[in-house]
Structure formats: C-alpha cells, structure tokens
Amino acid sequence: MNIFKDPERIYLDHNATTPLSIAVREATSEWLNDWGNASSIHWTGRGPKNVLRQARKQLAQSINCHPLELIFTSGGSESNNLALKGLYFHRLFSEFAEKRNHILISAVEHPSVTQVAQFLSRMGAEVDVIPVDREGQIDLEFYESHLSEQTSIVSVMYANNETGTIFPIEKMVKMAHAVGAHFHCDAVQSLGKAVVDVKKWGVDSASFSGHKFYSLKGAGALYVKKGVALEPLIHGGAQERRRRAGTENILAIHAFGEVSKSLELVDQKAGLVRDLRNHLEARILDEMDHVKVTAKESKRLGNTSSLVLEGVDGETLLMNLDMKGVSVSTGAACSSGSPEPSPVLLAMGLSRAEAQSSLRLSLGWENTKEEIDRFVDILKEVVVRLRRISSEVKDVQ
Ligand SMILES: Cc1ncc(COP(=O)(O)O)c(C=O)c1O
C-alpha cells in the first residue's frame, strides 16, 4: 500500500490517526459515483449495496469473522458505545437484569469506554476498574477476584493507545466466559499493528476504526459474535440488520473495505515497523540522558514508544517539534490541549511530573530509517535546548 507523505515533515502520531492510502485518495472521486442510498430498490441503490457487501466481506476476512457479524459504525468511539450501552440496555430488559449488573473495565481504557462505564454506573451498573502495574500490565488477581456470576460485561482493550501495552486477551476471555460474562475488546489500535483474529481471541465483540488504518474518517466497525443481541444506539431504519439505523457512509465504508485488503501484509509490515521503533529507542537511550521508555519490559505494539524525558514539559516539547515539522503526541490525541497529565500514565503509577514529561511516538508503515534518524537528531537538539532554558530560568529564580 502506498501512503500519502509530505517529504518536508515527519509524522510519528499514527495512534491518533494515519495518513491516507494513496489508492483511497485517488479513487474517492470515482467512488462518489455510488452516491445512491443503499436501501433504494432502483438502480442508484445497487452500486452502494454492492460496496457495502464487498467492504463487509473484505473486513470480515481480515479479522476472521462472518460478514454478518460486522456492524458498520462511524468509528471506534461509536463502536465502543454501541457495544457497551447496546448490551447493557438489551440486558436491562432481559432475565439478566436482576442477576447481572456488574461491569469490569481496565484502568487504561480509552475515554469512549471509561465515559460509557461512568454513564452506565449512573444508570445503576456496578463498575469495577482493574488496576495495572508500572509496566501497564493488568492485575489478573484483581480481575479474577472481581469476576462473578453478577458480571455482565468485561471491556478490556487489545492494546493501549498511549504505551502500546498488549493485554492477555485470550486468557481474560476464558476467565470471563467461565462466569458467563460478555467480553468486549476495544481493538481500535490493532489494525495494521498486529494480526487480528477475533475467533482466536474468543471475544464476543470488538471495535475497529478505519482512520487508524490509512482510511477515511467516518467509518468504523463493531464485530458482534453471532447470537449476541444488542439494543441499537440509533433507532430508525433497518440498516445493519436493525442494529444501527441511518443511511450508510458509503464512501468511507468503501475506503475501509479497500484498505483492509492490505491487512494480509500486516505480519511483515508490523515487523519492519517494530525494527524501526527498536532502532529509535536504542538510539534515544544510547545518546540521550535522563530518558526512560515506559512499559519497555511489556509485550507492546511494535509501533509505539512512550518516553519520559526528565526536566522537559511534554506540551512545550510537542510544540517545538511541530515547529520543526515533526508530529508527535503527549498522550491520547483527544485529551491534548488539556493541561491534565494522561490518566493512563497516572494509572500506571507514573508521577504527575513524569506524566507531564511524556511523549508518545507512534510509527506507521510509511516511516523510514532515514526519517527516524532525522527525528532523533531533532529531538536531541530540542531537548538539550529546552533543558538549558529551564535550568537558566531556575537559576534566575
Ligand atoms: C484505543 C482507542 N479506542 C477508541 C478510539 C476512538 O476511535 P475513533 O477516533 O475512531 O472514534 C481511539 C482513538 O484514539 C483509541 O485509541
């Protein structure tokens, strides 16, 4: 897959969003010929209906499920909302209501899971949060001791968007199933970074997002295992087998289906990206002082590196790197702009100062060794300058 690239800049923020696949970029105007409504019986509906069918088939093949087990949504946040609220509300009206009211989530979930859990707790759910350790690893003893016949839903991500830590999903699914709980997995950070096999994982539902894998914003998907019933978030027409009403975003779904074809290369591509990330970390640790890699000893996504750069303010560093044409992040993209340190890093036991000195680098398929080397040179220069300024300010004070 060829991916859009600005030769003047270095993009290292792929966990926030990815650049576009060039094939998608070039095909969109032609794809707009399918402007019809997929529900129309006349000719204008036939093209879009076919696009939906093809895209569903392609994505299903890439993540190993049946096409009818996929619901197209607007993205990862909607998929997480649909899974958790949809299940909870469905169960409110079923025999589960009296018996099961307990939800378990990890302490490092994305806000589209944590905020839903908080909302559901206001609706009467009992929510427990599974702690993680300094390496970002889940406390399996806490998990086991809090799973019970009351547990309705467990929601744990495949991999963390800030540190890349990968969770032992298969093991956790077995434990949840042993007490009859539903296991939802936010797998938004998995596409293109790891081999995704929802059947092997054993999860009951899983969220995906097209813009995290070189596609357009506006299309995501929720895998829901056959037989699992959900209340829709959006009531209305019969689209998506009555689980998500509304005329479909055919263009973004078309793109999502097209890029999913490239997922067959994921093993090879993710390996190359891992080598680059390891080269990046090795150079930084060798050539810079007072830098730590967060969760370095954990099983991590090969593209992600979360650094603590002592004595440097993350936001200031981000802005200085931006001025040099480098895009990085200090935490989840949706929380940047907020002066609060990342809740994920705090949950892992980092101090506020460490969290505020953190930088997240997330690489993609199109990054090169030359870019990584150029980036490390820029980072070294900027960090030395910022540390000097901050020590001069301290001297004056
Ligand atoms: C782990 C995780 N879940 C969910 C989302 C939300 O996805 P979207 O931006 O498609 O709504 C993100 C986005 O950053 C994410 O990283």
Side-chain angles (χ1 to χ4, degrees), residues 36-232:
N37 184 328
S39 303
S40 295
I41 308 289
H42 48 71
W43 67 269
T44 65
R46 286 197 279 277
K49 207 172 292 153
N50 196 34
V51 168
L52 272 180
R53 196 179 307 117
Q54 282 304 324
R56 203 184 302 281
K57 208 167 117 190
Q58 274 150 2
L59 182 61
Q61 208 172 342
S62 312
I63 65 168
N64 190 24
C65 68
H66 190 279
L68 294 181
E69 290 177 310
L70 284 178
I71 304 173
F72 281 120
T73 64
S74 63
S77 299
E78 187 189 326
S79 297
N80 283 334
N81 272 262
L82 176 56
L84 301 180
K85 292 179 190 161
L87 265 166
Y88 189 82
F89 289 132
H90 177 79
R91 290 176 169 194
L92 264 186
F93 307 116
S94 75
E95 35 140 0
F96 274 89
E98 312 89 68
K99 285 190 275 169
R100 290 186 187 246
N101 198 26
H102 178 227
I103 296 175
L104 267 167
I105 65 170
S106 88
V108 293
E109 294 300 307
H110 187 265
S112 57
V113 167
T114 56
Q115 295 293 314
V116 177
Q118 278 180 27
F119 167 72
L120 293 177
S121 90
R122 294 200 296 276
M123 301 283 298
E126 296 264 335
V127 178
D128 275 314
V129 178
I130 316 162
V132 295
D133 65 16
R134 179 89 194 186
E135 282 296 309
Q137 283 305 329
I138 208 123
D139 184 340
L140 284 174
E141 270 178 34
F142 180 101
Y143 177 52
E144 187 165 26
S145 65
H146 284 75
L147 270 176
S148 75
E149 303 278 310
Q150 261 75 53
T151 310
S152 177
I153 306 168
V154 176
S155 184
V156 175
M157 63 207 327
Y158 172 78
N160 184 263
N161 43 307
E162 294 190 43
T163 59
T165 322
I166 294 177
F167 295 106
I169 291 301
E170 288 179 44
K171 186 172 180 180
M172 295 184 79
V173 167
K174 287 196 185 104
M175 289 162 77
H177 286 173
V179 297
H182 175 107
F183 196 100
H184 173 67
C185 180
D186 174 353
V188 163
Q189 291 295 345
S190 64
L191 290 186
K193 298 168 188 160
V195 175
V196 176
D197 185 332
V198 290
K199 296 292 171 201
K200 182 163 172 277
W201 293 354
V203 296
D204 302 296
S205 55
S207 301
F208 301 94
S209 179
H211 78 92
K212 305 281 184 189
F213 186 61
Y214 310 104
S215 188
L216 295 172
K217 274 108 196 122
L222 179 67
Y223 157 75
V224 185
K225 190 160 84 183
K226 187 171 179 232
V228 174
L230 290 174
E231 187 65 28

